Structure formats: structure tokens, C-alpha cells
Amino acid sequence: MGHVEQPHQQVPSGGDPDEKTLRFRRAQSVTRAEEITEKEQKARKSQHDKPCHKPQDSLFSWSSGFDNFTGFVNWGFLLLSMGGIRLFLENLIKYGIMVDPLQWFVVLTGQNIEGREHPSIVLLVYCCVPIVICLLIEKAISVGIFSHKLGSWIHIINIFFLVSLPVIVIHLKADQFSLIGGMSVSMLYLVVFLKLWSYIQVNFWCREAIKKASAKSTLRRQSLSAPHWKSLEDEKNGTQEEIDQSIVKYPDNLNIKDIFYFILAPTLCYELNFPRTTRIRKRFLVKRILEVFLGIHLIMALFQQWMIPSVQNSLIPFTKMDYMHLTERLLKLAIPNHLIWLCFFYLMFHSFLNLMGELLHFADRNFYNDWWNANNIDTFWRTWNMPVHRWAVRHVYIPVVRRGHSKSVAGIIVFFISAFFHEYLVSVPIQTYRIWAFTGMMAQVPLSYVSRYVEKHYGARWGNIIVWSSIILGQPLAIMMYYHDYVISHFT
């Protein structure tokens, strides 16, 4: 009998021939099994018993590929609504109707405060003085009256005195400041501080760019012959005439109109030429005005009816450190606090900032991104407050990185500054100087690593759950701590 060669699979060099052969046979066996299954299905269908079964996975199995859970989303929303309505009815039954618009007016205007000096109104008006001083310093630097070094030191003194003034005045006139008055003054002075920081730095960039351009131009003129230089100069002048005359250049931007437009504009980052709209949309403007009006009343009503009783009832469990009741108070406070926070977000970042942008023809309306889809803490802080994020990246993060520091160091510095000003906005108005807001913000640094780890190893959904958990539970915990310390320090 003749010898017949058996076909064999070629094995790459460096591999085990037996292992490769085994894998090849397994692949053939799987293919063979699929062929047999298909033949069995065809044979079953040809029978007269009318088969109704076929190989398939249950919908909850990952291998099923099913992903339409819209009904469960509706169910969850309905269940959440029912729970919220129950809490609302419980609040009404227990406390009655506590909403009193007259009391809002008394608190907002400070009519319940003894004395008629109204230091909060004086501080709000005085805020224009540091702005004008900043403009005068920039004018002096641009014409050579002040050197850059001297002007920088005067700027530093001016803006740090600006941000320190509310602390000093509120401390000295504590009995004449309402909570709303102190919060308004602190917020306004902080916003002006950040805007002037940007204004000073951008004008410095413009001066440096002009110096470099002037130096390059001098070198080019020296290297060219006079006729050649004259022809280039004529060509440059002809091209320059074609540029739109509406473009503002340094130092033409140093005027009262420009700086106060920037102060009122819904941004923290200064530019010489902001993008502008051509007209005011009246219907859009009316909608935003109504939203601001109704939003303020809704927030005040929720705060008065739901928030204040929950905060007051948290004092005794927090003082006794009764962890069971403390957790119950925390969870109960989390719901009204989160609703108020969401209303405030919409009121501030959509309604109010769009209202200001429409009135001022300010075209860049990207005040927030889809932070609700953030899969980690870093993404949340980069998307929920775009004006602050742009300011932090443009005026802190990038300059720190350009000085040779790592991105991690730059990020920690940004969080440190943010933590300091969060503490500033809380401690100064209530005159209770603690570090809870500062600690909470700095805790975002390790929490960001945790959220990224969870996102990487357990999926984006779990990362998003961590983000929402930090928002929902972190804020009421800080409120409870500040309220406890405020009562202890002011009403021992």
C-alpha cells in the first residue's frame, strides 16, 4: 500500500506544535457543532409539531445584548416622585405652611438688623473703587509712568485689599450684616477679584507680545536696505488698512467702558475683543427674566419650608454624636438641599448668565457642559462651572505648567485656590471660621483618584454614581457641621 501524507497545520516558530494542533482541532469542533445545530434546527422546523423554542439568553444576561431599560427609568422616576411627595406632605403636616414672602423681604433688606448704616450697601458701591484703581495703574504702566515691577506690586496690594475688605468690615460690623448681605458682598468681591486678576494678566501678555514684536521688527529693519525696508513698510501699511477698524488693540482697550463691560459680562476671563451678537432676542430675554424671578421665589420657598427645619433638627444628633439619628438627619437633609442646589444651578448658570449675556450681546454662552454624565470627579469639575474652569486653566494651571511644574502639582494648586475661596464664601458671611469647606474641596483630590480607579475597573456607570454620591451627601454634611459650629459660637 502506498504511503499517504496527512495534512498538518503549519506552526509558527517559537510555539508548541501540540498546543497549536489542539487549538486548531477545537476550532474545527466548534464550527462542526454549529453546523450540526443549524441542521437540527432545519430538521425541527420541517416537523409537524410547530416548534416555538429556539436557543436564546434571558434579557438580564449580559450575553443577551439587551439594553432598553426605559421602563425601569420611568419606574424609578415615578417612585422617586412618590417619595418626594410623601416627604413634602409630611413636612406640611408637621410644620404647616412656613413660607412667608414678607420675611424674605425683611431678611434680604436687613430690616431686622439694628442700626441704619447699611454697610453691605456701602461695600457694594465701594466695589467700583478698586476697579478704577486697577484701570489707572494699567494706564500708568502703558505710558511708562510706572515700571512693570512697581505696577505689579501696586496691583497685588489693590486686589488683595479688595478681597480682604469684606472680611475686615463684616468682622467689625458683624451686628449690622444680614446673612444675605454678607453672602452678596463676599460673592461680588470674589468675582471682581478673579476678573481683575484676569484683566491684569491679559494686559501683561499684550505688553510682552508688543515688546517681542518690536524687537523682531528692529532686527529686520537693520538687516534690510533702506529702499527694501520702505517697500515692505508701504506694503504693511496697505494691508493694515484692510483690517476691520472695530478690532480693539492694546492699549486702546484701557478705558472705563471696556473694563466695566468686562465686569458685567458673564465671564471671568478678559479679552480685548469678546464675541458679540448682533441683536437682543426679546422672547428669549423675557423667558430668562421670568425664570430668574420664579427661580428666586422657588429657592426661597424651598429653603424656608423644607431646608431650615431639617437643618435645625440636625443640631441635637450632631451635638450628641448619635450616629444613627445623625445618618437619618443627613439623608433627610440631602433631598431638599440637592433640590435647592439643582434649582440654583439652573437659575445661575442658565437663566441669569444667559440674561446678562443677552443684554450685553455676549455671544459665548457655554456656561456649563453635561456634568451630569461625568464618570469621575475630574470630569465633573471641568464641566459644571465653565467660567471658573476656564479661569483656573488659563490663569493658574497653564502658567504653573509653563514654569516647569508637573500637571499634578498644577492641579493641586488649582484645587487649593478653589478650596480657599469656597471657605471664603462660607466662613466670612456666617462669621464662623472653620475649615470644613476647605477640607471638602481638598478631599476632591484623593476622591478623583478613587473615581478614576472605579471607572477604569468597574465601568463608567459606577464612576458616575460616585460623582452623584459626593454631590448629594457632601453638601448637607458640610451644612450640618457649619450650622452646629455657628450655633455653638454665636448662641452658646
Side-chain angles (χ1 to χ4, degrees):
M1 293 178 65
H3 177 69
V4 180
E5 280 191 8
Q6 295 292 333
H8 63 278
Q9 180 76 10
Q10 186 177 0
V11 181
S13 60
D16 188 355
D18 295 335
E19 182 181 355
K20 298 296 183 181
T21 304
L22 181 61
R23 290 180 180 177
F24 178 69
R25 289 176 178 175
R26 286 177 178 174
Q28 285 185 324
S29 65
V30 172
T31 305
R32 179 63 178 164
E34 291 176 352
E35 292 177 356
I36 293 173
T37 301
E38 291 178 359
K39 291 180 179 179
E40 288 180 353
Q41 289 179 355
K42 291 181 180 178
R44 289 179 61 249
K45 289 181 179 180
S46 64
Q47 299 301 315
H48 301 289
D49 58 349
K50 298 181 179 180
C52 60
H53 297 286
K54 62 180 179 179
Q56 55 186 337
D57 293 320
S58 300
L59 293 183
F60 287 158
S61 300
W62 290 104
S63 56
S64 68
F66 182 79
D67 59 357
N68 184 11
F69 296 98
T70 305
F72 280 113
V73 174
N74 296 334
W75 165 80
F77 181 77
L78 180 61
L79 200 65
L80 182 64
S81 301
M82 293 171 63
I85 293 173
R86 189 201 70 80
L87 290 175
F88 177 73
L89 293 175
E90 179 188 14
N91 180 274
L92 286 179
I93 294 171
K94 188 174 182 179
Y95 302 107
I97 298 177
M98 301 180 64
V99 178
D100 185 3
L102 181 61
Q103 190 175 358
W104 302 352
F105 177 79
V106 171
V107 173
L108 290 173
T109 57
Q111 295 296 322
N112 59 328
I113 305 299
E114 295 182 0
R116 295 300 178 189
E117 296 183 11
H118 299 293
S120 57
I121 298 177
V122 174
L123 282 177
L124 293 175
V125 175
Y126 178 80
C127 185
C128 298
V129 175
I131 299 172
V132 176
I133 292 175
C134 179
L135 174 62
L136 294 177
I137 296 170
E138 282 296 325
K139 293 281 284 186
I141 296 174
S142 67
V143 297
I145 297 176
F146 289 163
S147 65
H148 169 69
K149 186 175 182 180
L150 176 61
S152 298
W153 278 109
I154 300 175
H155 272 314
I156 292 172
I157 294 171
N158 181 46
I159 63 173
F160 277 97
F161 176 76
L162 165 72
V163 80
S164 303
L165 188 60
V167 183
I168 299 171
V169 177
I170 291 176
H171 178 72
L172 296 177
K173 302 283 186 179
D175 57 338
Q176 299 186 27
F177 273 92
S178 65
L179 178 61
I180 302 299
M183 291 178 62
S184 301
V185 168
S186 301
M187 177 65 76
L188 175 63
Y189 273 65
L190 177 57
V191 170
V192 173
F193 172 83
L194 298 177
K195 284 176 175 278
L196 292 185
W197 181 325
S198 177
Y199 185 79
I200 295 166
Q201 201 167 15
V202 169
N203 282 310
F204 169 72
W205 294 340
C206 292
R207 285 194 299 272
E208 291 297 305
I210 290 173
K211 287 180 182 178
K212 291 180 181 179
S214 178
K216 290 181 180 180
S217 177
T218 302
L219 292 175
R220 289 185 62 192
R221 292 179 184 180
Q222 292 176 353
S223 63
L224 296 174
S225 59
H228 190 194
W229 170 79
K230 187 175 184 352
S231 63
L232 287 177
E233 192 71 22
D234 294 340
E235 181 181 352
K236 181 180 178 181
N237 292 335
T239 306
Q240 194 68 23
E241 292 177 356
E242 298 176 0
I243 298 178
D244 188 3
Q245 298 298 322
S246 63
I247 298 297
V248 178
K249 296 183 179 180
Y250 183 86
D252 297 336
N253 62 306
L254 302 179
N255 55 73
I256 288 288
K257 181 180 178 181
D258 181 87
I259 192 171
F260 274 97
Y261 176 87
F262 170 55
I263 295 298
L264 295 174
T267 180
L268 298 176
C269 295
Y270 177 68
E271 294 179 12
L272 274 68
N273 299 277
F274 288 108
R276 305 288 186 95
T277 59
T278 57
R279 65 184 182 89
I280 294 178
R281 296 168 292 178
K282 295 180 177 61
R283 182 176 299 179
F284 181 87
L285 184 65
V286 170
K287 288 181 179 179
R288 300 292 82 80
I289 292 174
L290 290 175
E291 287 177 355
V292 170
F293 178 78
L294 296 177
I296 291 174
H297 284 74
L298 176 61
I299 289 176
M300 294 299 295
L302 288 173
F303 191 84
Q304 195 173 21
Q305 180 69 41
W306 204 350
M307 189 82 167
I308 292 178
S310 299
V311 173
Q312 290 175 340
N313 292 335
S314 69
L315 180 62
I316 294 177
F318 202 93
T319 303
K320 295 181 177 180
M321 296 307 293
D322 184 351
Y323 293 106
M324 186 68 70
H325 287 85
L326 185 61
T327 303
E328 188 270 337
R329 289 289 104 186
L330 175 64
L331 295 176
K332 194 168 185 178
L333 178 61
I335 296 176
N337 172 78
H338 190 61
L339 288 176
I340 291 173
W341 183 80
L342 290 175
C343 293
F344 174 79
F345 165 78
Y346 187 87
L347 172 66
M348 175 59 67
F349 291 95
H350 185 75
S351 301
F352 180 73
L353 293 184
N354 268 297
L355 172 62
M356 295 301 298
E358 196 70 20
L359 290 173
L360 296 172
H361 295 270
F362 189 83
D364 186 0
R365 308 293 177 85
N366 183 24
F367 304 125
Y368 56 90
N369 285 333
D370 58 334
W371 55 266
W372 47 87
N373 293 325
N375 298 325
N376 56 67
I377 297 297
D378 290 345
T379 304
F380 168 75
W381 287 111
R382 288 197 302 266
T383 52
W384 98 276
N385 187 341
M386 292 306 297
V388 171
H389 172 68
R390 286 198 193 97
W391 183 92
V393 171
R394 188 190 192 204
H395 297 288
V396 180
Y397 185 86
I398 293 178
V400 170
V401 171
R402 285 178 177 173
R403 287 182 174 272
H405 299 283
S406 66
K407 294 182 178 180
S408 299
V409 172
I412 292 174
I413 291 174
V414 168
F415 269 107
F416 181 85
I417 295 175
S418 178
F420 174 80
F421 285 124
H422 273 78
E423 190 65 54
Y424 176 91
L425 290 174
V426 177
S427 294
V428 174
I430 66 175
Q431 304 161 48
T432 303
Y433 300 98
R434 298 293 187 268
I435 59 170
W436 308 131
F438 180 87
T439 305
M441 280 302 300
M442 292 306 296
Q444 301 297 306
V445 177
L447 186 59
S448 67
Y449 289 102
V450 173
S451 63
R452 288 202 300 268
Y453 176 85
V454 171
E455 179 189 10
K456 181 178 179 181
H457 291 85
Y458 298 99
R461 177 174 297 177
W462 283 102
N464 183 256
I465 290 175
I466 289 181
V467 172
W468 278 111
S469 300
S470 67
I471 297 172
I472 295 173
L473 298 178
Q475 294 174 3
L477 180 60
I479 291 171
M480 290 167 61
M481 291 190 291
Y482 275 107
Y483 179 72
H484 171 268
D485 293 345
Y486 177 80
V487 171
I488 296 300
S489 60
H490 289 75
F491 309 101
T492 307

